[in-house]
Amino acid sequence: MLPSIVLFAGLVNLVSSAVVNDIRPLVIWHGMGDTYASPGMDNFQSEVKEMYPGIFIHSIFIDEDPNADQRATFYGNVNQQITQVAQQLADIPELSRGFDAIGFSQGGQFLRGYVERNNSPPVHNLITFGSQHMGVSDLPACNPWDLLCQVARRAAARGLYSEWAQENIVQAQYFRDPHRLSQYMLSGSFLPDINNEVLLPSSRNSSYADNLASLNKLILVLFLQDKTVIPKESAWFGSEQPPEDITMDQPSGSDQTPMLSPPNAKDIIPMRLQTLYKEDWIGLRQLDECGGIEFVACQGQHMQIGDCWKGLVAEWVGGSLSVN
């Protein structure tokens, strides 16, 4: 009888292990001023693991030294960082069958850059919290005691589109000045590329659209009282209108991206009125028309997530790898 009991117990363990291993892994990328191993990131992972026992979670890092990793959120070349991260993810066996991803603040557009340029292993669902998908038209504010941030902000402000800033200051690489869009497209090193906002249409990368449209879901989270990301609607692919377009009539109705205030309040162009959407430069329209985009609004200032994340993680994280 004993051998039968031992055999049964072994089968139970084998089945349990198979169930755990079938949970789709999660990859997270922290935001500006944070580190991959900060108490906040560790606590977030712990809470997700309570929801999904056995889930594999990887927190992206640019440097294993937390201080250097934090510095890399201000100083560095974003394109090189995404290349480094792509290799980092490709080297992790647990991710080989794909994963869900969550990007916090600038980590969101960086993960989108990974999807568009690499996506091997592939992302299934991508959740971005307060990310700057259409850039920022003012540099993020710094806490008074954050010297590292203040130095980077001053350096970027001196020459946002200079070659040096575009190679070395992270926030300059997603600065989108509505007054200087031609310069942004000509000199910008990161955001114009992943948005396919380029001066020569022939230089657009069609694979970006194919890769982004391959997502199962893109969940775009905006913080209602966000004063760090300007405009906050960038989290929903909204942007400030260029000065010459401010008097343009804006159509209304169900075809528009959800908006929190009338367009003329801040002269915001919503996602579905963006040229990159209408001409589908990055696959956004294809994904949207398949029901692949969710717009979510959370109460609070930038990255004051509270419990807003829990329902999203419950719905879009922790699925089975056996389900496409």
Side-chain angles (χ1 to χ4, degrees):
M1 186 68 177
L2 185 58
S4 298
I5 295 174
V6 172
L7 178 61
F8 177 75
L11 288 172
V12 169
N13 289 335
L14 184 63
V15 171
S16 298
S17 176
V19 170
V20 168
N21 291 336
D22 192 53
I23 299 175
R24 185 176 292 108
L26 175 65
V27 169
I28 56 179
W29 198 333
H30 62 83
M32 182 182 78
D34 203 354
T35 80
Y36 77 101
S38 67
M41 295 295 284
D42 286 346
N43 182 65
F44 178 79
Q45 292 179 69
S46 296
E47 293 200 45
V48 173
K49 288 178 179 178
E50 287 181 11
M51 295 174 67
Y52 300 107
I55 190 173
F56 177 84
I57 303 178
H58 175 69
S59 185
I60 288 172
F61 57 86
I62 301 302
D63 196 298
E64 292 188 77
D65 175 3
N67 291 328
D69 192 57
Q70 181 186 45
R71 189 178 190 280
T73 69
F74 299 109
Y75 299 101
N77 183 299
V78 176
N79 294 320
Q80 293 175 4
Q81 291 181 358
I82 291 176
T83 298
Q84 175 185 340
V85 166
Q87 186 60 57
Q88 182 181 127
L89 300 181
D91 288 342
I92 299 174
E94 290 87 349
L95 303 179
S96 62
R97 297 171 62 193
F99 55 90
D100 295 317
I102 296 177
F104 298 104
S105 193
Q106 67 184 21
Q109 65 260 30
F110 298 168
L111 275 168
R112 175 166 67 88
Y114 164 80
V115 171
E116 292 182 17
R117 292 176 176 173
N118 305 94
N119 210 33
S120 180
V123 175
H124 186 69
N125 295 324
L126 173 59
I127 306 174
T128 66
F129 284 93
S131 299
Q132 301 86 47
H133 290 293
M134 290 299 290
V136 293
S137 54
D138 192 9
L139 291 172
C142 300
N143 292 322
W145 57 85
D146 194 339
L147 181 61
L148 190 64
C149 176
Q150 291 182 42
V151 171
R153 194 178 194 277
R154 285 196 295 269
R158 282 196 291 268
L160 287 161
Y161 294 123
S162 68
E163 183 178 354
W164 185 86
Q166 289 296 314
E167 291 289 329
N168 295 281
I169 302 296
V170 169
Q171 288 68 45
Q173 294 165 60
Y174 56 82
F175 190 87
R176 190 178 186 275
D177 188 343
H179 299 270
R180 295 187 287 170
L181 287 179
S182 293
Q183 189 174 6
Y184 154 79
M185 288 186 276
L186 183 64
S187 304
S189 61
F190 167 67
L191 189 67
D193 180 74
I194 66 162
N195 283 358
N196 263 334
E197 293 182 291
V198 293
L199 292 175
L200 294 175
S202 61
S203 63
R204 292 193 184 108
N205 193 323
S206 61
S207 68
Y208 290 2
D210 295 337
N211 287 341
L212 190 67
S214 73
L215 287 173
N216 177 63
K217 280 285 183 178
L218 174 62
I219 300 94
L220 303 171
V221 183
L222 175 150
F223 293 98
L224 289 168
Q225 288 77 41
D226 197 333
K227 296 179 181 178
T228 300
V229 175
I230 301 173
K232 65 179 180 290
E233 290 84 0
S234 186
W236 283 354
F237 278 91
S239 66
E240 290 188 24
Q241 287 186 0
E244 63 269 20
D245 292 338
I246 285 178
T247 58
M248 290 173 59
D249 292 333
Q250 296 226 24
S252 60
S254 59
D255 288 341
Q256 288 199 69
T257 309
M259 296 203 55
L260 303 176
S261 57
N264 59 4
K266 287 188 65 177
D267 301 311
I268 298 297
I269 303 175
M271 183 188 79
R272 294 187 180 115
L273 296 183
Q274 299 282 358
T275 304
L276 68 79
Y277 177 90
K278 292 187 290 185
E279 298 184 8
D280 211 16
W281 294 346
I282 59 172
L284 206 57
R285 180 171 179 171
Q286 181 181 345
L287 186 63
D288 187 34
E289 290 177 347
C290 292
I293 299 180
E294 300 286 335
F295 298 95
V296 179
C298 290
Q299 292 289 341
Q301 297 279 355
H302 186 67
M303 292 312 301
Q304 292 182 351
I305 297 178
D307 291 333
C308 189
W309 65 271
K310 292 185 176 178
L312 302 178
V313 169
E315 186 168 4
W316 304 116
V317 172
S320 170
L321 280 168
S322 301
V323 179
N324 293 327

